[in-house]
Amino acid sequence: MSLWFWIVVACAVGFLTKLVGYLLPRKWLTNPRVARVAGTLTIGLLASLTVANTVATGAALAVDARLGALAAAAVALWLKAPFLVVVIVGALAAAGLRLLGLP
Amino acid sequence: MPTSLQESPGARVGLSIAVATGLYGVSFGALSVSSGLDVWQTQALSLLLFSGGSQFAFIGVIAGGGTPVAAASAAALLGIRNAVYGMQMNMLLQPRRWRRLAAAHVTIDESLATSTGQTDPLEQRRGFWVAGVGIFVLWNLFTLVGALAGDAIGDPKQWGLDGAAVAAFLALLWPRLRSREAGAIAAVCALATVLAVPFVPPGVPILVAAVVAALIGWFGYRSGPSGEGLEPDIDPYPQPDDPSRTATS
């Protein structure tokens, strides 16, 4: 139930964030400093989510097959593979390394 | 000169982006159920939140053992750029009443990019709606496919689905690393995350990184053209009454 509640909250906040852009006076959001924070926040959060999903297991750090998935995905991206291919490469790398005995 | 909808470049670009992006819904659906959400919760996120980055953030925090509060916070923060997009689309489309609510809901990276990639106002409008509504329909359809398939295949680790999540986040980050400064911010936030993991509850390291990123953005701001690559994905659109812009169509 609690999960459902926060799903609804996230959805409501997400929609209102989009709507606020249509309602606010132009000068608020064209402020270059605000636009820059929106940009740095996006980069910082995505970097953090990438790393957290690679090395965090609960509240502990762990080295496992996910590190191989990160490396394989980076190579795929460097070769300009499309999004879906990158995701599949990441899955194959993790699954393959586990077959070889990595945790 | 307005063209028919079949020959509309805006609609064509929108449609191809809708197909290409909508398919990602499969990976979201599969990863979401492997993170512990059920099919209905997964579908609710795609229908109501409808913002890829925020949706992946939500399930990424849950998958790491984080609380639903931390998941919702991460999703909310990652959606902030949509407010900037909304302002840009409002200047272009100036929708009224229910159209304004619909336009807000389908305001995402891809619909903004499609629209602002066109020069003719009619094509900007068509591009926005075709991309936005097209992605919404396909994204939701393929989320359901992924959620149902993901539920049926058993242990997600055996199939490398946690590796798929890592790859998905890296793929979302990658195109934003266009400058050295962007790379440095990513590195600092990644380091902050790793340092925070052992000391705070799951999900909170991501919020720590968000604070670090916001502080860099706020205090590292210099006026002038030095913020290269750090603005939201699409360069702020020139003023709508800019005559040089309309003259090029």
Side-chain angles (χ1 to χ4, degrees):
Chain A
M1 198 59 215
S2 172
L3 182 57
W4 262 117
F5 175 78
W6 289 106
I7 285 173
V8 171
V9 168
C11 293
V13 171
F15 178 70
L16 291 174
T17 307
K18 292 171 175 177
L19 190 62
V20 102
Y22 284 83
L23 301 177
L24 277 185
R26 182 185 298 179
K27 65 172 183 212
W28 284 29
L29 289 167
T30 44
N31 179 336
R33 182 170 263 185
V34 172
R36 189 182 143 96
V37 169
T40 58
L41 207 52
T42 302
I43 292 169
L45 275 166
L46 288 173
S48 176
L49 282 159
T50 306
V51 169
N53 278 274
T54 307
V55 298
T57 303
L61 294 172
V63 173
D64 56 32
R66 293 175 295 175
L67 217 52
L70 181 74
V75 171
L77 284 162
W78 186 64
L79 295 172
K80 299 193 192 308
F83 184 95
L84 210 53
V85 173
V86 174
V87 172
I88 292 168
V89 164
L92 287 177
L97 287 170
R98 289 215 175 89
L99 276 179
L100 295 174
L102 255 75
Chain B
M1 193 65 199
T3 51
S4 72
L5 199 56
Q6 276 122 342
E7 290 164 20
S8 155
R12 271 191 192 171
V13 173
L15 206 58
S16 53
I17 287 185
V19 171
T21 310
L23 287 170
Y24 307 168
V26 168
S27 57
F28 174 73
L31 288 170
S32 181
V33 292
S34 81
S35 306
L37 277 72
D38 64 30
V39 175
W40 292 105
Q41 291 166 334
T42 300
Q43 205 59 45
L45 284 175
S46 278
L47 280 168
L48 302 174
L49 183 52
F50 188 52
S51 186
S54 294
Q55 290 180 235
F56 277 113
F58 192 99
I59 63 166
V61 171
I62 296 291
T67 61
V69 187
S73 308
L77 288 169
L78 208 48
I80 285 178
R81 68 184 185 288
N82 288 331
V84 181
Y85 295 167
M87 182 269 308
Q88 291 173 256
M89 289 320 304
N90 189 31
M91 287 197 285
L92 287 190
L93 304 178
Q94 296 175 350
R96 290 283 165 261
R97 288 190 290 274
W98 68 269
R99 277 172 203 269
R100 173 173 278 187
L101 299 180
H105 197 53
V106 298
T107 296
I108 51 172
D109 293 332
E110 289 82 4
S111 56
L112 181 97
T114 307
S115 181
T116 53
Q118 298 294 323
T119 46
D120 179 58
L122 177 69
E123 294 304 324
Q124 288 173 342
R125 199 172 291 265
R126 286 172 169 174
F128 174 81
W129 286 109
V130 171
V133 174
I135 292 170
F136 181 77
V137 170
L138 291 172
W139 176 260
N140 274 284
L141 208 61
F142 281 96
T143 295
L144 187 61
V145 171
L148 293 175
D151 224 8
I153 59 175
D155 180 15
K157 272 195 162 186
Q158 183 198 339
W159 298 94
L161 277 188
D162 52 350
V166 169
F169 282 120
L170 188 64
L172 289 170
L173 171 66
W174 198 267
R176 293 166 212 271
L177 301 178
R178 283 170 300 200
S179 68
R180 192 181 297 178
E181 205 175 0
I185 289 167
V188 168
C189 291
L191 184 65
T193 306
V194 172
L195 293 177
V197 163
F199 301 104
V200 294
V204 178
I206 289 145
L207 305 181
V208 171
V211 172
V212 171
L215 289 174
I216 294 173
W218 186 261
F219 291 107
Y221 173 71
R222 296 178 300 279
S223 58
S226 56
E228 200 76 28
L230 292 177
E231 64 281 353
D233 286 358
I234 308 306
D235 291 338
Y237 194 72
Q239 300 304 307
D241 51 349
D242 180 357
S244 69
R245 187 74 182 185
T246 46
T248 54
S249 58

